[in-house]
Amino acid sequence: MMMANMEWRNQTPVSEFILLGFGELPVLQVVLFLVFLVIYMVTVAGNLLIVVLVVADQHLHTPMYYFLGHLSCLETCYSFTILPRVLAGLLTGDRTISVVGCLVQLYFFGSLVGTECYLLAVMSYDRYLAICKPLHYSTYMSDRFCLQLTVGSWLSAFVVVTIIILLMSQLTFCSPNELDHFFCDVAPVIKLACSITHEMELMTFWGSFLFTLPPFLLTLTSYAFIIAVILRIPSPTGRHKAFSTCSSHLIVVTTFYGTLVVVYILPKTKMLQELNKVFSIFYTVLTPLANPLVYSLRNKEVMEALEKTLRNFLTFTNSFCRVK
């Protein structure tokens, strides 16, 4: 390791990286651009629509939809962090990004991933209370407690990632400056450093551990209790109704954590390294897209709120046209 670092120190420091992204697929650049553009527009529009519905509709002013609104807001920020740079690279062919720009993207990406891990855990805990302790649900899930859970999820992630990025900003990066990814992820960026990175890698490991294992275990435990309670319901209709309240969240959690485990936790075999970018697409691009689709198409209350909002909008438009 020391010999490798000595070699790096003889290299010239760089001020920008080259995101290789999907450059090995030049024939598909236009197709990829159109696919990612559609995904980006649907993701942003869908998540913003959920935020508007949760704020505007009185029937959605419950802890479950309060957390969903925060998750939709987070997914929108997530898309802004990753996809515009990917789209610009596919459209113009310019795949360079400054070191500062890369660290800024990594800061928001890491903070939002950490926040999402804890928000999904909070949402699973909310479903656990609703299904396993329905009589005490309103007492436990007070407005103040909901606010504390969401603020804690956002602040803790941003504080920890701030420390990591401050440490990373002290590193010197040298050529070759090619980053084999479509965005600035922590492991590929650290590999380009020509400084000693042992402390940085250790801090990153503990940060990743803190924001993946505890919320994952909480989510797993919550659903273990939920499934146990649902299986004890004698009526098939009752079981279906109980499970339908958390099935949408379970789909999002499975997709998100499943791809995170493959990318960050499983041993890096040659096959997994080659598929790393493909799996990364799931939690950076497809999970934010799945959130509005899953929660709207599979949720009766959200669909009713959407229909009500559309009716009110059409009524207002017709009245305005008549007056005019």
Side-chain angles (χ1 to χ4, degrees):
M1 179 177 170
M2 289 300 295
M3 289 297 293
N5 282 327
M6 289 302 293
E7 279 184 28
W8 278 115
R9 286 191 187 116
N10 293 329
Q11 307 267 348
T12 304
V14 297
S15 59
E16 62 181 25
F17 298 135
I18 299 173
L19 293 168
L20 296 183
F22 306 100
E24 70 276 12
L25 302 170
V27 180
L28 298 178
Q29 297 295 296
V30 175
V31 175
L32 288 173
F33 173 78
L34 293 175
V35 169
F36 281 128
L37 180 61
V38 171
I39 289 175
Y40 179 59
M41 291 190 296
V42 173
T43 299
V44 173
N47 281 293
L48 287 179
L49 178 61
I50 288 180
V51 173
V52 170
L53 291 176
V54 170
V55 172
D57 195 294
Q58 197 70 27
H59 294 94
L60 300 184
H61 289 184
T62 64
M64 175 181 171
Y65 294 107
Y66 172 76
F67 297 133
L68 175 59
H70 276 270
L71 182 64
S72 296
C73 180
L74 182 144
E75 301 288 23
T76 304
C77 297
Y78 211 28
S79 298
F80 281 139
T81 301
I82 301 292
L83 282 177
R85 185 66 194 81
V86 174
L87 290 171
L90 290 171
L91 183 64
T92 65
D94 180 13
R95 292 175 289 169
T96 61
I97 183 170
S98 68
V99 172
V100 174
C102 189
L103 292 180
V104 169
Q105 185 187 63
L106 181 54
Y107 169 70
F108 284 105
F109 164 72
S111 300
L112 293 170
V113 168
T115 302
E116 182 161 5
C117 288
Y118 273 98
L119 267 182
L120 290 174
V122 165
M123 293 175 74
S124 67
Y125 179 65
D126 171 71
R127 291 300 83 206
Y128 159 75
L129 290 177
I131 293 173
C132 301
K133 298 183 181 294
L135 298 178
H136 304 285
Y137 178 73
S138 58
T139 304
Y140 288 141
M141 276 296 170
S142 63
D143 292 343
R144 182 178 179 182
F145 187 52
C146 291
L147 179 63
Q148 289 172 343
L149 288 173
T150 50
V151 170
S153 299
W154 284 93
L155 277 183
S156 58
F158 275 84
V159 168
V160 171
V161 176
T162 296
I163 296 172
I164 292 175
I165 295 299
L166 286 175
L167 290 174
M168 192 173 289
S169 66
Q170 306 302 312
L171 299 177
T172 302
F173 299 95
C174 302
S175 56
N177 60 340
E178 294 180 339
L179 201 154
D180 189 18
H181 219 312
F182 59 89
F183 70 99
C184 292
D185 201 1
V186 61
V189 171
I190 290 178
K191 283 182 181 179
L192 299 182
C194 48
S195 313
I196 296 175
T197 59
H198 176 69
E199 291 182 2
M200 185 70 253
E201 291 170 354
L202 191 62
M203 181 65 185
T204 302
F205 169 78
W206 283 112
S208 302
F209 178 86
L210 179 65
F211 284 98
T212 51
L213 191 60
F216 175 70
L217 291 177
L218 177 59
T219 303
L220 202 63
T221 304
S222 297
Y223 275 106
F225 281 110
I226 288 170
I227 292 171
V229 169
I230 290 175
L231 291 177
R232 289 200 296 267
I233 298 175
S235 166
T237 305
R239 285 197 298 268
H240 179 266
K241 184 178 179 181
F243 189 72
S244 66
T245 63
C246 57
S247 58
S248 299
H249 179 252
L250 188 57
I251 291 172
V252 174
V253 166
T254 302
T255 306
F256 182 72
Y257 275 113
T259 51
L260 279 184
V261 166
V262 171
V263 173
Y264 293 105
I265 297 178
L266 291 183
K268 294 296 182 288
T269 62
K270 185 176 180 181
M271 180 178 292
L272 284 181
Q273 285 180 339
E274 292 175 353
L275 295 174
N276 189 53
K277 277 187 279 190
V278 176
F279 285 117
S280 295
I281 290 175
F282 279 90
Y283 69 88
T284 58
V285 178
L286 297 184
T287 298
L289 172 66
N291 179 43
L293 295 178
V294 168
Y295 281 108
S296 60
L297 296 178
R298 294 177 56 86
N299 193 297
K300 184 180 178 181
E301 289 178 310
V302 173
M303 292 302 294
E304 288 176 352
L306 178 59
E307 290 173 5
K308 180 182 175 182
T309 303
L310 288 175
R311 283 198 304 270
N312 291 338
F313 176 75
L314 291 174
T315 302
F316 172 79
T317 304
N318 290 335
S319 302
F320 180 78
C321 290
R322 288 196 195 100
V323 171
K324 195 173 180 179

